[in-house]
Amino acid sequence: MRVILRNQGKEVELAGRRRVKDLLRELGLFPEAVLVIRGKELLTSDQVVGEEETIEVRPVVSGGAR
Amino acid sequence: MKCIKCRGPAVLELRRHNAAFCAEDFLAFFRKQTVETIRKWKMFTREEPVLVAVSGGKDSLALWDVLLLEGYDATGLYLDLGIYDYSKASRARCEAFAAERGAKLHVVAVADEMGASIPEVKELTRRPTCSACGLSKRYLTNRVALEQGFPVVATGHNLDDEAATLLGSVLHWAPEALARQSPVLPASHPGFVRRVKPFFRISERETAAYAFLRGIDYIVEECPFSRGATSLVYKEVLNRLEEHSPGAKAAFFTTFLQRARPAFERLEEVELRDCARCGQPTTAEVCAFCRLAERVKRAGGDRTGTPVRSEAETDPSELRGLGAAERALP
Ligand code: SF4
Ligand SMILES: [Zn+2]
Ligand SMILES: [Zn+2]
């Protein structure tokens, strides 16, 4: 699968299918800090991403002293 | 995972509520929570004009969206900070959002009011960028609201923002900051308008999900000056806590409001007077914004009066009030 890490300007290719929850753990990301997006949908932590799919991991944490 | 309302497939899990929602039920839940917060905390009514400070990011555009959908009289205010491409892109988002909905948007350039854009301020005065930026935003949103006749300014600060700010204040035991941090700051002086944060009970992940599911084209990229900000470390620490015990962030902030803030508030009775230059309330003779503008001027950076400001969907007569305050600048 292809994982687009938004705002890091990075993409990673991973072999095999995975649950969203496991994928985030592997990438070292907190589920609270991101949205996992496939096309026009949001994925929950128990959903499985297939080998051939592309997803976007989008950070939700905005920074700076606002 | 199933939606707790309709048992259809869920798109978002909210562990601290022990719930999951489909898109439609989440959007309804989100709107309802916002409206309830506004009502319970007496932030504003549907009869009062509200000025929404919009940055082009997910929180402020989500807030403006909810307010318009729920029938509030909400006008946007975009402050152009002059931060290169980031400001251009975020401003374009706000203008497109307003145009799509036929909503009113005021655009004010910080450079017009302070004499320099946010990136220039540090070079000219050595004041840290985010500190000058924060000061300018607080000052200008208030002044524009006063001049345009808005009794209240609403900002998109969410639960994560509030919890991170609180953590920072606690780590430094900063009594003034602890006394001031509140979802509603009443207009404690004729020179202040009310400031409210209708999203203070809603997490950042929820506002992002709302903006995404509503198809709002917000700016995902971050301000270049936010890199390495301490507040991001605080947010990470809090998310680690949240991961371990869902609800920890909300409990940290709400118990502060209930148990601790009243004690700090009693300590902080300050005397306010009018700024000798602009007339805004301040504890000093000249307010912090005017002092900074003066330093900018002394450093040779005065650009006030350059035509950087523009109005989208705005009747020029509505911005006339800004001129008076501009003239009051040194
Ligand atoms: S990161 Fe700093 S400079 Fe950028 S918008 Fe936020 S406060 Fe302003
Ligand atoms: Zn549902
Ligand atoms: Zn002043």
Side-chain angles (χ1 to χ4, degrees):
Chain A
M1 72 184 72
R2 198 156 93 227
V3 183
I4 300 166
L5 296 164
R6 191 74 185 268
N7 281 14
Q8 298 185 19
K10 246 185 8 196
E11 282 190 22
V12 291
E13 280 288 343
L14 297 171
R17 52 209 304 270
R18 297 221 186 7
R19 276 195 313 180
V20 167
K21 190 189 283 187
D22 302 324
L23 176 74
L24 293 180
R25 196 171 301 136
E26 254 178 88
L27 295 169
L29 296 169
F30 290 118
E32 267 287 299
V34 295
L35 291 178
V36 180
I37 299 168
R38 182 173 62 198
K40 285 196 175 308
E41 358 158 65
L42 292 180
L43 301 183
T44 52
S45 60
D46 60 338
Q47 274 175 288
V48 175
V49 184
E51 163 99 64
E52 299 301 319
E53 292 180 322
T54 298
I55 56 166
E56 175 190 336
V57 177
R58 180 184 296 190
V60 300
V61 180
S62 2
R66 295 196 305 155
Chain B
M1 220 173 276
K2 284 194 166 55
C3 172
I4 57 158
K5 294 266 171 190
C6 70
R7 313 305 299 164
V11 300
L12 194 73
E13 183 188 14
L14 301 179
R15 282 175 70 211
R16 85 190 146 94
H17 292 303
N18 208 356
F21 293 98
C22 69
E24 199 182 313
D25 285 317
F26 170 69
L27 295 175
F29 167 80
F30 186 96
R31 278 169 62 173
K32 191 164 157 239
Q33 245 197 325
T34 309
V35 172
E36 261 177 33
T37 304
I38 293 170
R39 196 174 42 81
K40 258 193 210 151
W41 285 77
K42 299 192 169 59
M43 292 183 168
F44 45 83
T45 64
R46 286 187 173 79
E47 280 68 53
E48 284 176 294
V50 183
L51 190 64
V52 188
V54 290
S55 67
K58 62 187 193 316
D59 304 297
S60 53
L61 289 184
L63 177 59
W64 200 7
D65 186 65
V66 172
L67 296 183
L68 292 172
L69 288 174
E70 292 290 339
Y72 290 95
D73 180 4
T75 297
L77 169 63
Y78 176 79
L79 292 180
D80 191 336
L81 307 169
I83 305 179
Y84 323 115
D85 290 350
Y86 169 75
S87 285
K88 288 198 191 102
S90 54
R91 174 175 171 170
R93 283 346 191 260
C94 295
E95 288 173 343
F97 180 100
E100 256 170 51
R101 289 158 177 82
K104 234 187 302 163
L105 174 70
H106 294 300
V107 177
V108 173
V110 171
D112 273 2
E113 309 299 326
M114 195 166 48
S117 69
I118 291 299
E120 291 165 336
V121 173
K122 186 169 175 206
E123 284 162 44
L124 293 167
T125 68
R126 290 200 308 271
R127 182 164 180 148
T129 307
C130 290
S131 140
C133 183
L135 165 67
S136 307
K137 285 178 187 165
R138 275 191 305 279
Y139 176 87
L140 289 172
T141 48
N142 184 68
R143 213 184 69 191
V144 172
L146 273 179
E147 289 167 357
Q148 304 286 324
F150 292 92
V152 53
V153 168
T155 57
H157 292 89
N158 56 49
L159 175 59
D160 295 68
D161 295 327
E162 294 305 301
T165 301
L166 177 59
L167 182 58
S169 302
V170 165
L171 289 173
H172 296 101
W173 291 114
E176 330 73 50
L178 288 162
R180 264 199 322 262
Q181 195 180 355
S182 171
V184 182
L185 281 179
S188 56
H189 180 282
F192 284 138
V193 300
R194 200 179 326 138
R195 304 188 73 91
V196 299
K197 302 169 179 171
F199 282 168
F200 84 91
R201 292 163 61 218
I202 299 180
S203 76
E204 202 153 47
R205 188 155 171 273
E206 290 164 80
T207 61
Y210 178 88
F212 177 81
L213 293 170
R214 283 281 296 153
I216 296 172
D217 180 21
Y218 68 90
I219 184 159
V220 178
E221 289 70 34
E222 285 296 316
C223 169
F225 293 107
S226 72
R227 223 162 287 148
T230 315
S231 61
L232 293 177
V233 181
Y234 296 157
K235 284 186 171 181
E236 201 181 322
V237 169
L238 290 162
N239 274 340
R240 188 177 290 256
L241 272 174
E242 185 75 19
E243 176 71 5
H244 180 263
S245 14
K249 268 187 297 210
F252 178 50
F253 190 58
T254 52
T255 53
F256 159 71
L257 290 178
Q258 288 159 7
R259 297 180 198 161
R261 186 171 176 267
F264 288 103
E265 224 181 340
R266 279 197 293 277
L267 298 174
E268 279 305 309
E269 302 254 319
V270 291
E271 188 107 3
L272 290 173
R273 48 175 158 169
D274 299 344
C275 167
R277 297 214 198 289
C278 74
Q280 293 276 291
T282 174
T283 51
E285 192 177 325
V286 175
C287 81
F289 184 86
C290 290
R291 288 201 306 268
L292 188 58
E294 202 163 330
R295 279 163 70 192
V296 165
K297 192 177 181 189
R298 271 205 306 269
D302 191 4
R303 293 217 271 107
T304 46
T306 48
V308 191
R309 182 200 305 157
S310 84
E311 303 96 47
E313 297 281 316
T314 299
D315 173 354
S317 67
E318 287 166 1
L319 283 168
R320 212 173 290 139
L322 287 175
E326 214 174 69
R327 277 195 301 279
L329 283 173

